[in-house]
Amino acid sequence: MSSLTEKDRPIVQLLLNTGTCPRCILRFCCVGSQALYRHPYKDLMKDLKEFLKNNQEKEDTVCSDVVDPPCKRIRLEHTEEGPDDLNHNGALQQIPSVNDENTATENSAVKVCNVCLGILQEFCEVDFVKKVCQKVNSADYQFTSFVFSVSLPPQLSVRERAAWLLVKQEMGNLGLSLAKDDIVQLKEAYKWIIHPQLSEELGVPADGKSLFEVSVVFFLTNFFYFTVQSVFTRMAVIKALEKIKEEDFLKHFPCPPSSPKNLCVALEIQCNNGAVFVAGRYNKYSRNLPQTPWIIDGERKLESSVEELISEHLMAEFKADSFNFSSSGREDVDVRTLGNGRPFAIELVNPRRIHFTAEEMKGLQQTINNSSDKIQVRDLQLVTRSAIGRMKEGEEEKTKTYSALIWTDKAIQKEDIAFLDDIKELKLDQKTPLRVLHRRPLAVRCRIIHTMKSEYIDEHHFRLHLKTQAGTYIKEFVHGDFGRTKPNIGSLLNRTADILELDVEVSCLLFIFPGN
């Protein structure tokens, strides 16, 4: 085994005798050759024994660069401390000496590794790899690469530290040092072994940047883990171990780690695709349709919403678990959205299907439009996450055009409203409207009415076309909201005014879509 040198021999000998598997031995010998870990388990065990056999006569020259290193056999056989003192006074447990090959063979015949609990043994075999791939294939995902993740039981962190302290002391006796970060991490070694097998079986490459994740959750079955797993997570254990002094650790935990009674089990094999984002614009033609589900105190007020009419078709085609809907602004339930429509985006969580051609997206758009006369969508397309962020940028600097049907209590003539057409860049102070005060903080917001154009209908009705700063409360600008919006149409006309209908006609929003 060319990756191991004579200085590794005491470590190999020590760990084999304590019940550590060959791959964990390679990790603690800081072997970084990925190919070596992929060798069959039996071959690795055979190679390690051969390594010990071939170097048996060189025991006294393991580290030729260290002056007179203490002989491990002598140190172990002539120690003055008895077994009753172990692990109670901050001392490492003494390991029986290895006198010949037979002893090493007997002691190393361990079913479950005392460090990795079998993860680098049984779970590296072909049968387990096929089990993972069967789970992936049955989930029916579209993917062109994968990233593999592993979740380990918290107990492994304790065992890893105990083994490290054991090896650290052994190397210290040889005049060498071993930092915790020098050891090849269990997850890293496991991925070295599993990646090529999964890649071959699935027919796609492993890629750390892939959006398709295959994850395995390992679990150690015992009562203690069931009762405290929510408290003692792996990260909580790691942080706790960082704070414990070595001598305190050795007083409470066996070192070397004890032989485990149970093998780890693969509790879950999970697949997850990164979110896909679909965006477009929608028109709303109903005055009885909210943008999102209208539910008050658990009771649904209206049967559908813009969000649901669009998302139900996307969810079905992308085969996603769930979705998140967002838009650039929102209209009230009784307000129509006309013109070029309101930009929206939907995040589809964990979709099984992710590849759609432009023609397929057009077909999906048509399906949505044919399903209801209350809405229509346009420019439906796949976009990136960053594009969704741009949809929200600078909303207060954007402009919108509205059409409002207004009623007045006193009779009006055409000349009574003509002056509104001459008003430009009218500044408003809008206190948070009463109707939204339950969900918006109380504040006074400055908004601008850029232009207005009046259209006389009769003595009590006229239509007003407005171009305003985005975020302006149009209804409140008309009726004044009990004086909370100043000035307002009522105060400008010196009479009571109210709004009967409101349409969003044009959204001059900068979110980039084809057809803008």
Side-chain angles (χ1 to χ4, degrees):
M1 189 170 288
S2 58
S3 295
L4 295 176
T5 63
E6 291 185 356
K7 69 178 179 61
D8 297 313
R9 180 183 170 282
I11 307 305
V12 174
Q13 191 174 44
L14 177 66
L15 293 178
L16 269 179
N17 284 329
T18 60
T20 305
C21 73
R23 293 184 176 111
C24 279
I25 292 175
L26 294 179
R27 294 195 302 113
F28 282 94
C29 289
C30 307
V31 175
S33 172
Q34 298 185 22
L36 191 56
Y37 288 85
R38 297 168 189 152
H39 288 187
Y41 181 83
K42 291 183 179 179
D43 291 352
L44 286 174
M45 181 65 79
K46 180 180 178 182
D47 290 344
L48 285 179
K49 294 174 183 176
E50 190 68 25
F51 171 72
L52 290 178
K53 180 180 178 181
N54 293 340
N55 290 273
Q56 187 71 31
E57 297 179 355
K58 303 177 181 180
E59 186 173 22
D60 295 332
T61 58
V62 171
C63 290
S64 58
D65 57 330
V66 178
V67 179
D68 297 325
C71 175
K72 178 175 183 293
R73 179 181 300 165
I74 295 175
R75 178 175 55 83
L76 293 176
E77 291 180 348
H78 296 280
T79 178
E80 295 180 358
E81 292 184 359
D84 293 336
D85 298 325
L86 305 184
N87 292 321
H88 296 287
N89 299 311
L92 288 171
Q93 188 174 0
Q94 300 299 320
I95 311 302
S97 63
V98 179
N99 295 318
D100 54 37
E101 179 188 354
N102 293 332
T103 305
T105 302
E106 292 173 2
N107 292 340
S108 61
V110 179
K111 290 184 179 180
V112 182
C113 175
N114 68 336
V115 179
C116 71
L117 300 178
I119 290 176
L120 296 183
Q121 296 171 299
E122 179 177 325
F123 295 105
C124 294
E125 300 300 322
V126 174
D127 288 346
F128 181 70
V129 173
K130 288 185 176 181
K131 181 181 178 181
V132 173
C133 293
Q134 287 172 358
K135 175 73 173 181
V136 173
N137 292 330
S138 65
D140 196 28
Y141 282 88
Q142 281 186 343
F143 59 95
T144 56
S145 62
F146 71 93
V147 60
F148 183 67
S149 65
V150 185
S151 178
L152 301 176
Q155 293 93 328
L156 262 65
S157 299
V158 179
R159 290 178 172 272
E160 185 97 351
R161 183 175 181 85
W164 168 62
L165 291 176
L166 178 71
V167 175
K168 179 183 177 183
Q169 188 192 59
E170 180 70 14
M171 295 192 70
N173 292 334
L174 299 173
L176 302 173
S177 62
L178 179 67
K180 189 73 169 64
D181 294 338
D182 293 337
I183 302 168
V184 175
Q185 296 301 304
L186 175 56
K187 281 188 178 182
E188 187 175 15
Y190 187 62
K191 291 178 181 180
W192 288 349
I193 302 165
I194 289 293
H195 273 173
Q197 298 184 68
L198 287 177
S199 183
E200 181 178 359
E201 192 74 21
L202 295 173
V204 296
D207 182 358
K209 296 182 179 180
S210 176
L211 295 179
F212 179 64
E213 180 184 23
V214 179
S215 61
V216 177
V217 178
F218 287 109
F219 177 84
L220 186 62
T221 54
N222 59 51
F223 177 78
F224 175 79
Y225 186 76
F226 274 115
T227 55
V228 299
Q229 60 177 322
S230 61
V231 177
F232 294 104
T233 62
R234 182 169 175 271
M235 288 309 301
V237 171
I238 290 175
K239 290 181 179 179
L241 289 174
E242 291 174 351
K243 299 177 182 179
I244 298 176
K245 295 179 180 180
E246 292 182 8
E247 55 269 26
D248 293 332
F249 178 90
L250 294 170
K251 291 177 182 179
H252 300 284
F253 298 97
C255 187
S258 59
S259 297
K261 296 180 180 179
N262 298 312
L263 179 74
C264 272
V265 296
L267 181 67
E268 293 179 341
I269 300 173
Q270 301 172 329
C271 301
N272 187 78
N273 238 340
V276 170
F277 298 88
V278 177
R281 293 174 179 267
Y282 72 81
N283 293 111
K284 180 167 84 76
Y285 302 118
S286 171
R287 295 195 187 279
N288 195 36
L289 183 70
Q291 186 192 67
T292 55
W294 191 6
I295 300 173
I296 300 177
D297 296 330
E299 181 182 352
R300 191 179 186 107
K301 298 300 182 181
L302 293 172
E303 65 178 13
S304 190
S305 65
V306 173
E307 171 187 299
E308 292 166 300
L309 291 174
I310 298 174
S311 63
E312 63 177 330
H313 300 283
L314 296 179
M315 287 283 290
E317 289 297 321
F318 283 82
K319 300 178 182 178
D321 285 350
S322 60
F323 71 91
N324 296 305
F325 180 91
S326 61
S327 66
S328 185
R330 60 186 299 132
E331 66 283 319
D332 292 338
V333 61
D334 58 348
V335 176
R336 299 187 302 176
T337 299
L338 309 176
N340 60 355
R342 183 183 298 278
F344 74 92
I346 293 181
E347 176 187 11
L348 295 157
V349 179
N350 193 23
R352 271 64 175 175
R353 186 181 177 190
I354 57 174
H355 301 301
F356 286 81
T357 65
E359 288 302 315
E360 287 174 325
M361 292 303 293
K362 287 182 181 179
L364 182 52
Q365 174 177 297
Q366 192 59 48
T367 299
I368 296 171
N369 291 340
N370 292 340
S371 67
S372 174
D373 60 359
K374 295 181 178 181
I375 66 161
Q376 294 278 288
V377 298
R378 54 174 290 195
D379 301 333
L380 195 69
Q381 62 195 274
L382 293 168
V383 298
T384 62
R385 183 185 294 271
S386 60
I388 306 303
R390 291 199 298 272
M391 185 175 70
K392 294 289 187 179
E393 290 177 359
E395 284 191 341
E396 293 189 2
E397 284 70 44
K398 300 169 185 176
T399 60
K400 293 183 180 179
T401 300
Y402 298 90
S403 173
L405 179 60
I406 299 174
W407 167 88
T408 60
D409 64 333
K410 297 179 182 178
I412 56 171
Q413 299 301 318
K414 187 174 183 179
E415 53 269 22
D416 293 331
I417 59 174
F419 75 96
L420 296 175
D421 298 1
D422 299 326
I423 297 177
K424 311 294 181 185
E425 306 301 320
L426 177 65
K427 293 183 178 181
L428 310 180
D429 287 327
Q430 291 198 304
K431 190 176 290 187
T432 304
L434 293 172
R435 62 187 173 92
V436 300
L437 195 55
H438 66 285
R439 56 185 172 87
R440 295 282 178 87
L442 178 62
V444 176
R445 299 171 179 85
C446 180
R447 295 291 184 262
I448 298 176
I449 306 295
H450 298 296
T451 61
M452 290 184 284
K453 184 175 177 56
S454 59
E455 181 182 329
Y456 182 78
I457 298 176
D458 58 38
E459 290 183 343
H460 292 281
H461 300 88
F462 71 97
R463 187 169 294 278
L464 188 63
H465 301 276
L466 310 96
K467 183 177 181 181
T468 75
Q469 179 183 355
T472 304
Y473 292 105
I474 303 302
K475 292 179 179 179
E476 283 68 26
F477 171 60
V478 173
H479 58 62
D481 195 27
F482 300 100
R484 297 169 70 86
T485 291
K486 299 178 181 179
N488 54 71
I489 292 297
S491 65
L492 292 172
L493 296 178
N494 195 26
R495 65 199 67 199
T496 299
D498 205 352
I499 188 165
L500 303 180
E501 293 179 354
L502 180 63
D503 294 330
V504 182
E505 291 191 333
V506 179
S507 295
C508 300
L509 302 172
L510 302 178
F511 188 35
I512 300 173
F513 285 140
N516 273 14

